[in-house]
Amino acid sequence: MPALEAVLVLNSGSSSIKFGLFEISAAEPALLCKGLLDEHEAKPRLVVKGAAGEDLFEKRRDEADADGGHLFADVLAFIDDRFGQDSLRAAGHRIVHGGPDHSGPVELTDDVYAKLEALTPLAPLHQPRCLAPIRTLSAIRPALTQIACFDTAFHHGLAPPASRFAIPRRYEQQGIRRYGFHGLSFEYVAGRLAGIAPQLVAKRTVVAHLGNGASLCALRNGRSVDTTMGLTPLDGLVMGTRSGTIDPGVLLYLQLHERMSVEDIQHLLYHESGLLGVSGLSADMRTLLASREAAAWEAVDLFVFRAAQEIAMMATTLGGLDCLVFTGGIGEHAKEIRSAIGERLAWLGVRIDAVANDEGRERIAGGDSPVEVFVIPTNEELAIARHCAEVLRLDHRI
């Protein structure tokens, strides 16, 4: 029996790390198991489930482990015990910011790591969380190949004017431009859409990744031609705790007249704004939709207003709209948000079938809708596994 060839995919969030273990010997990676490392609970825990969602393993630690090293060691021990000590070929990481140099996956070296760490000011909420597991795994298993996969890579081909800020050109030459994010999600959805409706590949498509982090991508021939996030993941749509697009004068006012420091403003924009800031209640869309508080519905209304407004902006880039795709936690599960956005875009030809939307079907466009409308669950972990398999094959390691 041939040895199993597997890749461990790590997708780091603000307080937990989702992971998946994929078998990569075939053309398409196959999920073996998935799980969660929650290192910020009072008792940090590891939960592992099978590909079908069945419980496989759970372990809690008595004391918080600051660097998460024990939890990662537990994951590796589980993989070795269940799938064999020689099964793990590599670990793949979702890295939020790749900067101007990375248009595809890359094997991690000390030099690559240092360059990615230098990009932390452009994604201070995300980059450190993405990079921390790399050092931890290196300490536990130094010989393990680690591969970085970038959220910015899918947008690497963005060109002026979509990529450009209206500031002196010398700053653009220093790399201050619009990069875009959620690229692994958009890449997966673009591929899935091509499988579902190949006739739409050459059409004008907007993908709405709506979640705690939210952005849009304008697709033409399966490629990104515009997106709502810019130099950092702060730009664009209203998000859970992030402001999205904001008048730069607001920031100047807070500095000059409220005497707020740069650090205070950064914390305000990343952690205290968005749905949380407007509602004063929660950053969770589910909580806001269930609330009877006026402020909760005002936050929801602003989220919908801005999403519809910027979908129309993406349609302007494309010269029209033939297809709208919802994905991400909110996009996939909040039927009320999909319906409300559709109503605001009726003038653009979007018609959503109420029954199909309520049932969460894959295709939710009304029969008379000139615009096709889909709900496609994203799968960033599978996109990362595909990239890792590609890197290993090119190096003849699988």
Side-chain angles (χ1 to χ4, degrees):
M1 181 177 177
L4 187 71
E5 295 180 323
V7 164
L8 175 64
V9 170
L10 297 166
N11 189 343
S12 299
S14 58
S15 62
S16 62
I17 300 172
K18 292 189 296 181
F19 68 87
L21 186 71
F22 291 83
E23 209 282 326
I24 58 169
S25 60
E28 176 74 347
L31 181 65
L32 297 169
C33 62
K34 57 188 176 180
L36 186 74
L37 291 124
D38 199 332
E39 46 191 320
H40 287 173
E41 286 192 0
K43 291 187 175 182
R45 65 184 177 127
L46 163 65
V47 176
V48 186
K49 296 181 179 292
E54 70 277 18
D55 293 331
L56 294 182
F57 183 78
E58 181 170 351
K59 184 171 184 178
R60 286 184 178 269
R61 291 268 171 188
D62 290 334
E63 297 180 0
D65 177 31
D67 62 7
H70 292 133
L71 288 176
F72 283 100
D74 293 338
V75 172
L76 297 177
F78 170 82
I79 294 170
D80 290 346
D81 182 62
R82 190 173 184 91
F83 300 104
Q85 292 190 352
D86 298 323
S87 61
L88 192 60
R89 295 288 182 268
H93 302 264
R94 170 182 170 243
I95 306 297
V96 167
H97 215 307
D101 298 328
H102 296 109
S103 59
V106 63
E107 185 171 340
L108 281 152
T109 63
D110 288 342
D111 182 58
V112 169
Y113 184 93
K115 290 178 179 177
L116 298 179
E117 193 173 40
L119 294 170
T120 295
L122 303 185
L125 185 66
H126 301 85
Q127 201 80 343
R129 288 285 302 165
C130 296
L131 296 177
I134 298 169
R135 283 296 190 202
T136 302
L137 284 176
S138 293
I140 299 171
R141 194 163 292 186
L144 181 64
T145 297
Q146 299 196 63
I147 298 167
C149 302
F150 302 100
D151 254 348
T152 50
F154 188 66
H155 307 291
H156 197 79
L158 281 183
S163 64
R164 180 166 286 155
F165 292 119
I167 57 176
R169 186 72 67 106
R170 63 182 180 272
Y171 295 109
E172 184 176 347
Q173 293 166 352
Q174 295 171 20
I176 299 179
R177 49 158 291 172
R178 299 183 68 249
Y179 288 95
F181 299 89
H182 290 131
L184 291 162
S185 175
F186 292 132
E187 175 190 343
Y188 175 82
V189 170
R192 185 80 182 94
L193 181 64
I196 296 169
Q199 74 278 9
L200 292 174
V201 171
K203 300 291 187 179
R204 300 163 296 187
T205 297
V206 174
V207 181
H209 178 109
L210 306 179
N212 188 53
S215 69
L216 307 175
C217 181
L219 290 177
R220 185 182 292 126
N221 295 318
R223 297 180 178 274
S224 172
V225 295
D226 200 359
T227 188
T228 52
M229 284 181 170
L231 176 73
T232 74
L234 268 178
D235 203 5
L237 305 181
V238 172
M239 293 171 249
T241 61
R242 281 171 270 167
S243 63
T245 299
I246 189 169
D247 178 356
V250 173
L251 312 184
L252 295 174
Y253 177 86
L254 294 176
Q255 281 186 294
L256 296 173
H257 300 284
E258 295 294 320
R259 303 300 180 188
M260 289 181 69
S261 68
V262 172
E263 291 76 17
D264 288 341
I265 291 175
Q266 178 172 282
H267 189 271
L268 174 77
L269 296 178
Y270 275 102
H271 299 282
E272 299 177 358
S273 299
L275 293 173
L276 175 62
V278 177
S279 71
L281 298 171
S282 177
D284 193 319
M285 182 62 78
R286 294 167 295 186
T287 300
L288 300 180
L289 289 172
S291 176
R292 295 184 179 181
E293 296 287 335
W297 284 96
E298 288 167 356
V300 171
D301 189 46
L302 180 58
F303 181 93
V304 169
F305 170 77
R306 288 278 293 282
Q309 188 180 55
E310 299 216 16
I311 290 170
M313 184 178 75
M314 294 292 105
T316 300
T317 297
L318 293 168
L321 184 65
D322 298 307
C323 179
L324 174 62
V325 181
F326 291 100
T327 193
I330 296 172
E332 294 168 26
H333 302 294
K335 61 185 180 181
E336 303 93 335
I337 299 301
R338 295 193 299 260
S339 177
I341 290 173
E343 288 176 8
R344 283 192 173 272
L345 293 173
W347 66 274
L348 199 53
V350 176
R351 309 276 190 277
I352 292 180
D353 180 272
V355 174
N357 185 48
D358 288 350
E359 294 177 353
R361 297 180 194 169
E362 186 174 72
R363 184 183 183 275
I364 61 171
D368 61 341
S369 180
V371 176
E372 289 280 9
V373 186
F374 292 91
V375 180
I376 300 179
T378 193
N379 193 334
E380 293 170 326
E381 289 80 20
L382 179 54
I384 294 169
R386 288 169 176 167
H387 283 306
C388 290
E390 174 191 357
V391 169
L392 294 173
R393 286 193 185 101
L394 287 174
D395 288 346
H396 306 290
R397 281 183 273 180
I398 60 171

